[in-house]
Structure formats: structure tokens, C-alpha cells
Amino acid sequence: MTTKLIVSTLICCSFLMGCSPSVKNEQTEQAKPSETLANEIQVGKDYHSFANPDEVKVTHLLLDLNVDFEQKILSGSVELDYKKIDLSAKTLVLDTRDLTILNVTANGKDIPYVLSSQDSFLGAALTIELPLEGNTVKVEYHTSPQASGVQWLTPAQTAGKKQPFLFTQSQAIHARSFIPLQDSPQVRVTYEAKIHTPKALLAVMSAANDPNTPRDGEYEFSMPQPIPSYLIALAVGDLHFKAMGERTGVYSEASILDAAAAEFEDTESMLIATEETFGPYSWDRYDLLILPPSFPFGGMENPRLSFITPTVIAGDKSLVSLIAHELAHSWSGNTVTNATWRDLWLNEGFTTYLTYRIMEMVYGEKRFAMEAVLGRQDLQADIDTLPADDQILAIDLRGRDPDDVFSNIPYEKGALFLRELEQKVGRAEFDKFLLAYFKHFNFQSITTDQFVDYLELNLVKPHSDVLSMARINEWIHAPGVPAGAPEPQSDAFTVVDQARNDWLEGKISAKDILVTEWATHQWLYFLNNMPEKLTQEQLTELDAAFSLTQSHNNEIAHSWLLMGVKNWYEPAFPRLHDYLVSIGRNKLVKPLYKALSETPEGKKMAQKAFAEAKDAYHPLTVKANEGFVE
Ligand code: BES
Ligand code: ZN
């Protein structure tokens, strides 16, 4: 990577009018990677972008893209308006990955540019010589069918089976695979887009969507609030809309529209409750887009239009905390944004804390308490397996692909940290602090250090009797969870522990456990806390009593199938295969592939499922799991 970068930088310098200071800096800095890594992290430096926003900042995008399902490419142009931060700046550096650049123009004339060779996960820098006049450049380009941020689905891979489907997933650094731009969360842009699709399909974006737009293959969008590039999103398919509330609705394929609208009907209440506590919603409408099951995440907080996996449509609202989570990002993440991927916990930790608060407000204390205990257990599972350096909130990601570092740490450890602050100063005080924080940093991208400074001034100083900077720094910079951290408790789990223990000790048989009133969360707690090893008889008994192999709840099925793999419970294997080939949500399939890969027989099953499913998996799910089936 280093060599490639130097070579490309040199080429660019050789024919451009001169190198900008940051390009030169990059050259010297990159020349000695070991030294750079040994050095202190430069706070606020985005190590995952080639762009030069300190010199030239892109402020607005105008996209004009044709969606070609035959060739699986997006083609067209982007006009980028920019502002010089350094008046002597001569070049604009954009991020790209697997893009074919056809030309770059300004004021209707070609201008010089250089596309560097491609780094394995950062992509390639597109260095453009700035024109002498104006503040706009236009890049004509097309994407590659392998674009890491775009998934193209054939009609057979959709619910309706008749029309193809496309969706993008930009976070963390994949927007560059379908738009040449400054792909850094510290650059915010407004955007407009014209999207041309086959006539029968509807396009939607993370922008103002009009549910009543004529379905004619020509769609126009505008996003008037400035957003970071990782929130730019597009989906195209045989989509339909159903309103859920005044400001909320759902888009999906026709066959799941009613089920989705019923499952998520509390979205409007969630929105109102969040506004009441954490300040006004900044984004006008809040709609959901339900994607095909290959969507690699549970959800993605694309502004005005969260992208949601269909695997949470359980029929009983048991998994809707996902909606609370994506909605909460409208405050933590979309208005106050992490400045670099090291600061991801500012997005995800705050959002996870808010999620718990929303669930408590809308569904009550019992539901919240169960979810908090399960979250704490997920966190512990990661602490028990991750290296110490990966257990730190402000993690050092230099030289690493953010996709490879996904864990519960920024989420649940971040949320637990905020819970401690809440408990120390009291809920009313903490809510006041959060309200002010969201207002203060509205539409800004901030670093962990900026947050800590703000926290020190606005919470630690006024509450120095109960808070200290040493404790704050321990939370942010030390591995694990500090001693004395809040311990979530749920009374609803006491009966579950009792039942599990009695059954394991042979005091009762499975069918005698009183489960009729059990919530999904109690089932998850029951299963997730079983001993690693169970006998075939025990598994058979549980399955006979509770039909776990056939569970329609994808989270319960996940926990059960994982136990099935670890204990080689063959009756569950046909279901396991179906599960792996029909779901592409990485959080659900990856632990199964990993567990299967640990034995030779398991690996064969994994290989079979992966080979069958691969074409329908998203590039990120392929990347995350292909190592398990080699
Ligand atoms: N923004 C994330 C997804 C994400 C994070 C994508 C980092 C790429 C890099 C989204 O809001 C999220 O957290 N999704 C979770 C939801 C869950 C914690 C409720 C998921 O997909 O599992
Ligand atoms: Zn999130």
C-alpha cells in the first residue's frame, strides 16, 4: 500500500501544477509505515480516506446516474461543488474504489486528473487539478459489478421474483465504490440526484422521498441537510409504500408491506418519545425501507429512510429495538457524527444508550431491563474473546479495514459508560446534558477528544463530587469494563435461570417448564446461558418440548442453531442449511459459519451452504465469511 501511494503521488506531482502541502506530507508520512504506527495517533486525522478536506472541502453533490441491471453498473456523473479552505490549494483529492473514470471537466472543459493504483481496502485516490475559475468539477464515471457498496439482486433473489433489486451500503468506507467523493465522515455535503431506472421500478434515497411520485423510471431527490458520505444511500426495486403515522411509513416489496407496517407500527411513538427527551427531530420524515434478506446488517441509519433487514419481522414486535436504534441515530450519528472511524463509539454507543431509553419509554421497564441484560452479555462475550487493544472505545484503526473490526465494544461498552454517567448524576441532569450536547454539536462531526472536552466542562466539573476525568479516561482508553460499572438486572430472567438450572440438574423435564408467558428475550437468555456442551438427549428433549429447530424467530433460531453446531445436533442441520442460504445478515450467519469451520465435517456443511448462497450474499457478507470455508 505504501509503495503504491508514493508512486501515485509522484506521478501526480510530475504533471500537475504542483503538489499541495498535504500530498507532500502524506508522501513523507507514508514512506515510513513502522515509524508512523509507532507514533501517536493524530487526533481527528481520517486514516481511511485519501481526501484533502483540510485544503478543499466538497460541500454539495449533484448526481446523475443510470441504473443498468443488465450490466450491473451505475453510470453517469457527479458534479462536486467545493470550497477552498486553503486558498493556495491546487488539487482536490477524492476517494474511489473500482470506479472507471471517463473524464473530469470544469466549466465544460477537460481538466487533468490522476487515478492512483488501488489499495486493498482504501481504494484509489483520484487527484484532480483544480480549475482556475469556478468551484465545481464534474466527474463522468461508472461503477464495477463488484462494487463493494452495491448489491445487485436478480428477480429470483427478491420476494416478488419478477423484478431485480439494487441497494447500496456506504458505511464505513464504501460510498467511494459508487461515487467518487471525499469519503470521510468529517466532510458533510448536501446533495441532489437524478436516478434513471427501468420504468416498473421505484428508486428511493437517503433524501426527501415522495411516496406518491409517478412510477416512470425518472426520479429526483434532494437532501437539503448536510450529511457525511457514509449516509448516502440508494435503493431501486419493485417498492411500495404504506404510511404508519403522520411522519412515518414503510417501503418494501408488496408481499411483506402489511407485515412490516404492522410489526413497526410503533415507529411514530418512538419518534415522538425521542423528540420529547432529546430534542426535535431534524430530518422531516422518518421512513423505513425493508430490504431483501441479503441485507448484510440489521439496519442502517440512512437519514429520513433507515434500511432494515426483513429478519426482524417476527410477528410479535419482539425485535423492534432495531428500529429504535436506527431512529436514535437521527440524533447520535446523523446530526452529531463521528469524525473518524476511531470515534465510531460516539455514534454507536450513544445510539445504543438511546435505544434502551426509547425501548423503556415505549415498551416499559421490564422490556428494557431484559434487553439491557442481553446487551451486557453480548459485550462480555466480546471482552472474553477480543484482544485487549480491540476492547477500547477510541480504538486505533490505523492500517486496518473498519469492516474487520466490527464488535459490540463501541455499542454496549459505549452505552454502559453513558449509563454510568446517568446513574452518577441522575437521569434528569444527564438528559439535560444530552439535550445540550445534541444541540451544541448539531450537524457537526466530532472526535472523541472533543466529546471529552465538552463532557469535562459540562458534566464532570459541575458534578466533581461524583465524576472524575480519571474514570472517564479509563472507560475510553482502557480495555474491558471498569470495576464498579453498572450491572443491568432483570427480574424476568430469575425464573428463566431457575428453570434452566432445575432442568440441567434433572429436577424437572423440559416439557414441565412453564414457558407459555415467556418473551423472546427470555428464550434468548434461556438458550444463550446453557453450558457449552449438552448431550444429544438434552438437545432432543428441548427440541421436542419447544420445537426450537422450527422457531420462526430468527434470533431464537440463531441461538439454537449455534448450540446445534457446537454439539453436533444433526436434526437441526437441514434447518441450519436453509437458514444460511436464506439470510445474509452477517451478525446472524457469521457465528454459524465460524462454529462450523471448527470441525472438518462442519466445514463441509459450511462450504456447501456458502457455495449455494454466495451469489445472493452481499459483498460484505462474502468477505466476512469466505475465510471460514477455504
Ligand atoms: N450504523 C450501523 C451499521 C454499521 C456500523 C455499518 C458500522 C457499518 C459500519 C447500524 O446502525 C447498526 O448499528 N446496526 C446494527 C443494529 C443493532 C445494533 C440493533 C446491526 O446491523 O446489527
Ligand atoms: Zn448503529
Side-chain angles (χ1 to χ4, degrees):
M1 161 196 159
T2 312
T3 352
K4 279 181 192 165
L5 222 157
I6 295 166
V7 170
S8 65
T9 314
L10 288 177
I11 296 172
C12 107
C13 291
S14 67
F15 87 90
L16 288 175
M17 309 270 286
C19 265
S20 60
S22 92
V23 174
K24 275 184 194 147
N25 281 344
E26 202 139 49
Q27 201 183 341
T28 38
E29 227 179 64
Q30 296 282 345
K32 294 176 189 157
S34 52
E35 197 178 292
T36 310
L37 280 174
N39 285 345
E40 291 278 294
I41 299 172
Q42 255 178 274
V43 170
K45 178 176 163 65
D46 186 348
Y47 289 94
H48 296 95
S49 170
F50 294 115
N52 60 340
D54 291 345
E55 299 173 333
V56 185
K57 218 169 214 157
V58 174
T59 55
H60 182 76
L61 303 179
L62 176 58
L63 280 164
D64 190 330
L65 291 175
N66 184 53
V67 181
D68 184 341
F69 281 101
E70 296 282 300
Q71 294 189 66
K72 299 190 174 172
I73 59 169
L74 297 169
S75 64
S77 63
V78 59
E79 286 179 38
L80 306 106
D81 294 348
Y82 58 85
K83 197 173 145 201
K84 279 191 187 176
I85 307 297
D86 171 353
L87 293 178
S88 65
K90 299 281 188 294
T91 59
L92 168 66
V93 186
L94 304 179
D95 294 294
T96 73
R97 187 209 310 272
D98 294 324
L99 294 182
T100 302
I101 306 297
L102 302 173
N103 63 46
V104 183
T105 56
N107 310 310
K109 293 197 195 90
D110 279 352
I111 51 173
Y113 67 91
V114 174
L115 186 63
S116 76
S117 52
Q118 189 147 296
D119 172 76
S120 62
F121 66 91
L122 295 178
L126 175 64
T127 304
I128 297 170
E129 185 184 333
L130 290 176
L132 295 175
E133 274 170 30
N135 62 347
T136 305
V137 293
K138 179 175 179 180
V139 183
E140 284 190 41
Y141 71 99
H142 67 77
T143 62
S144 129
Q146 283 77 41
S148 60
V150 187
Q151 187 174 17
W152 299 86
L153 294 172
T154 63
Q157 292 162 344
T158 68
K161 310 282 176 215
K162 293 210 174 67
Q163 297 290 349
F165 202 106
L166 156 137
F167 65 87
T168 64
Q169 166 59 39
S170 298
Q171 197 180 11
I173 54 170
H174 300 285
R176 64 190 68 177
S177 75
F178 63 98
I179 308 171
L181 41 50
Q182 293 186 317
D183 198 6
S184 169
Q186 49 198 266
V187 180
R188 305 181 83 91
V189 296
T190 50
Y191 76 83
E192 289 162 276
K194 287 183 187 164
I195 306 291
H196 316 278
T197 74
K199 280 201 167 49
L201 303 184
L202 179 66
V204 288
M205 289 192 84
S206 56
N209 290 287
D210 172 8
N212 300 315
T213 189
R215 194 180 274 259
D216 58 5
E218 298 294 327
Y219 303 102
E220 292 194 11
F221 302 92
S222 162
M223 172 39 99
Q225 289 107 330
I227 59 168
S229 55
Y230 76 88
L231 294 177
I232 298 177
L234 166 70
V236 179
D238 188 2
L239 292 171
H240 297 267
F241 176 81
K242 186 165 178 175
M244 294 190 292
E246 221 173 284
R247 283 181 291 170
T248 53
V250 56
Y251 290 87
S252 76
E253 287 191 71
S255 63
I256 56 166
L257 194 57
D258 288 340
E263 193 82 16
F264 306 133
E265 67 181 0
D266 301 328
T267 308
E268 188 89 17
S269 312
M270 291 181 180
L271 175 58
I272 292 166
T274 319
E275 277 190 308
E276 277 170 6
T277 318
F278 300 109
Y281 179 72
S282 306
W283 305 90
D284 193 19
R285 286 193 60 82
Y286 181 71
D287 293 318
L288 306 174
L289 168 67
I290 315 303
L291 291 148
S294 68
F295 184 57
F297 290 100
M300 179 64 214
E301 66 270 26
N302 298 315
R304 295 177 184 229
L305 183 66
S306 286
F307 284 23
I308 302 294
T309 174
T311 62
V312 291
I313 304 178
D316 58 3
K317 303 184 183 175
S318 57
L319 306 177
V320 299
S321 65
L322 174 77
I323 307 301
H325 179 100
E326 303 314 331
L327 170 70
H329 272 305
S330 306
W331 284 259
S332 43
N334 298 5
T335 55
V336 183
T337 305
N338 51 212
T340 76
W341 297 115
R342 174 181 186 234
D343 309 303
L344 178 71
W345 78 275
L346 291 177
N347 280 15
E348 299 302 344
F350 276 68
T351 293
T352 303
Y353 173 80
L354 257 55
T355 306
Y356 287 133
R357 295 291 304 277
I358 296 169
M359 292 307 288
E360 186 177 1
M361 289 189 280
V362 179
Y363 298 97
E365 208 274 334
K366 180 181 171 198
R367 169 87 173 246
F368 146 71
M370 291 192 292
E371 297 193 343
V373 171
L374 291 174
R376 180 66 184 87
Q377 294 201 329
D378 289 344
L379 172 59
Q380 196 56 44
D382 278 357
I383 289 175
D384 292 343
T385 48
L386 288 171
D389 284 352
D390 286 355
Q391 300 175 21
I392 287 164
L393 284 180
I395 189 175
D396 182 1
L397 284 180
R398 285 176 296 175
R400 298 177 77 181
D401 181 346
D403 290 343
D404 297 341
V405 197
F406 198 79
S407 83
N408 284 300
I409 302 293
Y411 290 77
E412 297 292 347
K413 183 176 170 181
L416 204 60
F417 169 35
L418 299 186
R419 178 70 62 185
E420 177 171 300
L421 296 175
E422 180 213 306
Q423 291 184 353
K424 288 260 159 79
V425 303
R427 182 168 281 190
E429 274 296 289
F430 192 57
D431 283 356
K432 255 199 280 172
F433 168 80
L434 283 179
L435 189 70
Y437 164 80
F438 289 133
K439 205 167 160 198
H440 184 81
F441 292 113
N442 204 15
F443 290 99
Q444 289 180 45
S445 303
I446 66 165
T447 62
T448 299
D449 288 42
Q450 278 172 283
F451 164 68
V452 171
D453 289 348
Y454 184 85
L455 182 71
E456 181 170 20
L457 197 63
N458 296 287
L459 203 69
V460 178
K461 286 219 169 115
H463 294 280
S464 56
D465 50 334
V466 284
L467 299 178
S468 78
M469 288 316 286
R471 179 73 173 178
I472 307 288
N473 285 320
E474 185 182 1
W475 272 104
I476 294 175
H477 298 292
V481 166
E487 276 300 338
Q489 304 284 341
S490 158
D491 292 344
F493 289 164
T494 312
V495 286
V496 181
D497 279 328
Q498 186 70 49
R500 190 191 318 96
N501 288 340
D502 288 351
W503 177 70
L504 285 167
E505 287 168 15
K507 289 188 190 154
I508 51 169
S509 59
K511 64 176 177 7
D512 296 328
I513 303 176
L514 289 174
V515 297
T516 40
E517 304 275 293
W518 276 14
T520 295
H521 307 83
Q522 288 170 296
W523 280 109
L524 292 173
Y525 184 75
F526 180 68
L527 296 173
N528 293 350
N529 292 286
M530 284 288 177
E532 265 303 281
K533 289 287 162 210
L534 290 179
T535 64
Q536 294 299 307
E537 291 70 35
Q538 286 174 313
L539 291 161
T540 310
E541 190 193 343
L542 287 176
D543 208 7
F546 310 126
S547 303
L548 290 163
T549 298
Q550 300 314 326
S551 174
H552 294 300
N553 185 294
N554 288 309
E555 291 279 356
I556 294 176
H558 170 84
S559 291
W560 172 249
L561 293 172
L562 195 56
M563 281 171 64
V565 175
K566 290 182 176 167
N567 290 285
W568 206 252
Y569 176 63
E570 291 187 17
F573 289 172
R575 173 80 211 280
L576 172 64
H577 181 84
D578 286 350
Y579 192 93
L580 290 172
V581 301
S582 60
I583 293 178
R585 181 179 172 191
N586 199 35
K587 182 193 143 197
L588 295 180
V589 297
K590 187 174 167 186
L592 294 169
Y593 276 117
K594 182 168 185 291
L596 281 169
S597 74
E598 277 155 19
T599 63
E601 301 87 341
K603 195 168 217 173
K604 274 191 209 133
M605 282 170 56
Q607 284 165 336
K608 186 162 173 273
F610 192 80
E612 195 176 318
K614 192 176 173 215
D615 285 350
Y617 282 158
H618 187 277
L620 285 174
T621 302
V622 172
K623 186 170 83 165
N625 292 288
E626 61 193 357
F628 298 127
V629 295
E630 271 165 4

